[in-house]
Amino acid sequence: MNALVMNCSPVRNGATAEIVRIVSHCLEKRYDTRSICIDDFQIAFCRGCRTCHDTAKCVQQDDADKVIEQYEWADIIVSVSPSYWADIPGQFKAFIDRCTPWCNTHEPHAAISGGKKGYSIALRTGPGMRECDRIMESIEHFYGHMEIQCCGRLGLCSIENGPAVEPRKNEIIAFCQKI
């Protein structure tokens, strides 16, 4: 089986990236594992032209299809997202918006192969879980429209930076053992 771990943050070396590293290391013991960072891809904003509602294809030519290729390859997808003003980062939101051709909200639509399992991990600097829940709900909503089965979530509060992840490492590993 193949596992994709996605850093939904534009920061390649922060707390989110450290969590991606831990998750990837855990999963590579059992799965063929790849990790990607949303910032490694150039993804334009959705224009709202709705052409994809008729053609099941986006008119824009950028890297959104390259990320979809990674989703297609994977059997398991783990999205790791920080809180940007109580929700997912804009770069990840732009990708989600561009996935409309693959979403089950209209016909015709393209589709990734079925049977995929999705997991979400959210982190934030503050102490309350409410923001983490909102982030995970955004990811799970997206998974639902992509027909990726939501199978687990982990919220991590009070994570300010990469070093703040270390005390939570065992919690992250325990979560990964359920994947």
Side-chain angles (χ1 to χ4, degrees), residues 86-157:
D87 213 330
I88 57 177
Q91 292 86 341
F92 186 50
K93 176 65 166 89
F95 167 69
I96 290 173
D97 289 346
R98 291 290 308 290
C99 286
T100 299
W102 293 274
C103 289
N104 61 6
T105 56
H106 57 84
E107 291 296 338
H109 72 274
I112 57 175
S113 57
K116 298 181 185 302
K117 296 181 184 288
Y119 298 83
S120 56
I121 300 175
L123 61 142
R124 67 175 301 247
T125 59
M129 187 57 78
R130 189 170 165 200
E131 278 185 34
C132 287
D133 287 335
R134 181 175 171 158
I135 293 162
M136 292 181 290
E137 287 166 5
S138 291
I139 294 168
E140 291 166 354
H141 183 84
F142 166 62
Y143 283 167
H145 285 296
M146 295 290 283
E147 298 185 1
I148 299 168
Q149 179 185 358
C150 298
C151 294
R153 55 163 51 190
L154 174 64
L156 300 166
C157 297

Side-chain angles (χ1 to χ4, degrees), residues 4-11 14-24 27 35-38 71 77-84 88-89 92 119-124 135-136 139 143 154 156 159 165 172 175-176 179:
L4 175 66
V5 185
M6 184 168 185
N7 180 346
C8 301
S9 169
V11 181
T16 307
E18 180 60 19
I19 294 167
V20 166
R21 188 190 65 71
I22 293 167
V23 171
S24 296
L27 296 183
S35 62
I36 61 173
C37 179
I38 193 67
Y71 273 57
I77 299 163
V78 182
S79 299
V80 184
S81 179
S83 173
Y84 277 35
I88 57 177
F92 186 50
Y119 298 83
S120 56
I121 300 175
L123 61 142
R124 67 175 301 247
I135 293 162
M136 292 181 290
I139 294 168
Y143 283 167
L154 174 64
L156 300 166
I159 304 289
V165 174
I172 298 164
F175 175 77
C176 291
I179 297 175

Side-chain angles (χ1 to χ4, degrees), residues 37-49:
C37 179
I38 193 67
D39 201 50
D40 290 338
F41 301 91
Q42 297 298 314
I43 300 172
F45 294 118
C46 175
R47 295 179 184 166
C49 69

